[in-house]
Amino acid sequence: MFIAQAFKFRHEFWRYIVVSLLIILIHTLAQVPFMVALIFKEGPDILAQGTDQSALFSVLEPNLNLFLLLLPFAAALGALFLLLKAVHGQNRKSITTARPKIDWKRVWFAFGLWGALTLIITLVDYYVSPENYLLNFKLVPFLILVVIAVIFVPLQTSFEEYLFRGYLMQGFGTLAKNRWFPLLMTSVIFGGLHYFNPEVEKIGDIAMVYYIGTGLFLGILTLMDDGLELALGFHAANNLISALLVTADWTAFQTHSIFKDLSDPAAGFDILIPVLVVYPILLFVFAKKYKWTNWKERLFGEVVDTSHAAEMEELGN
């Protein structure tokens, strides 16, 4: 099973704390180029005048802004893989899947499904409410955006999935020896780290329902499917299509996207529908395709350390 694989490696919980702190440090240091670029453009007072985040993210040229915002995630992902090996003696496959090898067909299926649905939903909304959109397309900046986004957005989303649904899911799972605790903890921490996003600043604290709910959805995908593949594909499609298709003045990703959203975001059905309607439907689709069973055990059951038993069996043979 996905979580129980961590028992085969050095899994004392202090190791997870040390690695997490190092990852935070590396991610923070990798934000220095963004800060330097802001100071170079606007002067040192830009970081001390209480400017809201959405305004900070609009200071730089959008493609440069996106690159510098995504750079820390790429650095942190590389650091996570290096520390995983150095501190835990663990390989990347073991925090990706319980299958013999990573199932890339699952990654692409989730990516294609959610990417297509996001595209359809956006185009339908554009057709119904064209006054809420401004055509923002400029060929050369958009092509540069495509290169940056295709390379760096999957690194950003993969870092979040490997950290929360992979690394910390296994860490909390081996600590609590059950599945519900890591599912809850990783979802709350994942949502909590989005609290300082400009979207929350604009919409209000109710936006946390979406972020924590998304964390729960991705955690359920991971536990039910015994691996990160579906979560990796979904998350990459969600952020990549958003970066390329629609931007807004109040989002973290202010890009040279095709459309610009002019509507005033409201806390309501836009927050609740994905969590209460769309995600359950997607879970149903995935469950049917991959024949998921035994939901209670997979989401709430115990995590058993079978590593010693396997070693004894191997010695006996």
Side-chain angles (χ1 to χ4, degrees):
M1 300 297 288
F2 179 67
I3 293 178
Q5 289 185 133
F7 284 120
K8 300 175 183 178
F9 307 96
R10 299 188 291 269
H11 60 274
E12 298 85 358
F13 195 70
W14 65 263
R15 297 178 186 272
Y16 292 92
I17 295 174
V18 169
V19 169
S20 297
L21 292 174
L22 289 173
I23 290 296
I24 292 171
L25 175 62
I26 291 165
H27 188 277
T28 302
L29 291 175
Q31 294 176 39
V32 170
F34 177 71
M35 300 300 179
V36 170
L38 286 178
I39 293 171
F40 183 80
K41 180 76 180 294
E42 297 291 328
D45 291 342
I46 186 68
L47 302 179
Q49 60 188 223
T51 308
D52 63 78
Q53 285 201 54
S54 57
L56 282 178
F57 293 154
S58 63
V59 170
L60 302 175
E61 191 278 329
N63 282 330
L64 176 61
N65 182 74
L66 181 67
F67 170 73
L68 293 177
L69 285 177
L70 295 178
L71 187 61
F73 295 96
L77 179 63
L80 176 60
F81 289 152
L82 291 174
L83 290 168
L84 183 72
K85 183 67 175 177
V87 178
H88 296 272
Q90 192 169 354
N91 56 56
R92 182 168 63 93
K93 199 280 290 183
S94 63
I95 64 163
T96 307
T97 185
R99 283 170 274 277
K101 61 181 181 179
I102 298 172
D103 187 347
W104 290 104
K105 290 182 179 179
R106 276 173 153 84
V107 177
W108 286 112
F109 176 76
F111 182 93
L113 175 63
W114 186 237
L117 287 175
T118 301
L119 182 62
I120 291 169
I121 291 169
T122 303
L123 292 178
V124 168
D125 191 51
Y126 175 73
Y127 178 79
V128 172
S129 306
E131 69 278 5
N132 289 336
Y133 293 89
L134 173 69
L135 185 62
N136 190 53
F137 180 75
K138 297 174 184 176
L139 180 59
V140 174
F142 179 75
L143 292 177
I144 296 172
L145 166 64
V146 170
V147 173
I148 295 171
V150 168
I151 294 173
F152 284 94
V153 168
L155 294 177
Q156 177 245 329
T157 57
S158 294
F159 166 68
E160 293 186 358
E161 290 312 306
Y162 273 108
L163 179 64
F164 292 104
R165 261 66 64 177
Y167 184 70
L168 292 179
M169 183 77 80
Q170 290 186 347
F172 285 121
T174 55
L175 175 69
K177 293 184 173 56
N178 62 45
R179 293 180 174 85
W180 67 264
F181 183 75
L183 173 61
L184 182 62
M185 286 297 295
T186 56
S187 301
V188 170
I189 297 172
F190 173 77
L193 290 178
H194 287 80
Y195 184 75
F196 300 102
N197 278 23
E199 292 88 343
V200 178
E201 189 176 281
K202 180 71 174 180
I203 298 173
D205 290 350
I206 194 172
M208 297 306 296
V209 172
Y210 170 76
Y211 287 116
I212 295 175
T214 300
L216 284 168
F217 166 70
L218 293 168
I220 292 170
L221 280 185
T222 300
L223 292 178
M224 290 304 303
D225 201 50
D226 233 12
L228 287 183
E229 291 98 334
L230 296 179
L232 285 168
F234 173 91
H235 202 161
N238 186 73
N239 288 26
L240 182 59
I241 300 300
S242 297
L244 296 176
L245 196 58
V246 183
T247 189
D249 290 335
W250 43 270
T251 61
F253 285 179
Q254 298 182 26
T255 67
H256 287 294
S257 58
I258 296 174
F259 295 108
K260 187 172 184 178
D261 185 355
L262 302 177
S263 64
D264 189 28
F269 287 113
D270 290 345
I271 298 296
L272 298 177
I273 285 178
V275 176
L276 300 180
V277 179
V278 177
Y279 291 166
I281 292 174
L282 287 173
L283 286 173
F284 177 79
V285 171
F286 288 129
K288 286 296 183 181
K289 179 172 177 58
Y290 296 111
K291 298 179 174 57
W292 293 345
T293 58
N294 202 10
W295 287 67
K296 183 178 179 181
E297 175 62 26
R298 285 179 177 267
L299 298 181
F300 301 100
E302 295 182 359
V303 175
V304 180
D305 181 1
T306 59
S307 58
H308 296 302
E311 290 173 5
M312 293 299 292
E313 183 179 346
E314 186 175 338
L315 288 173
N317 293 333

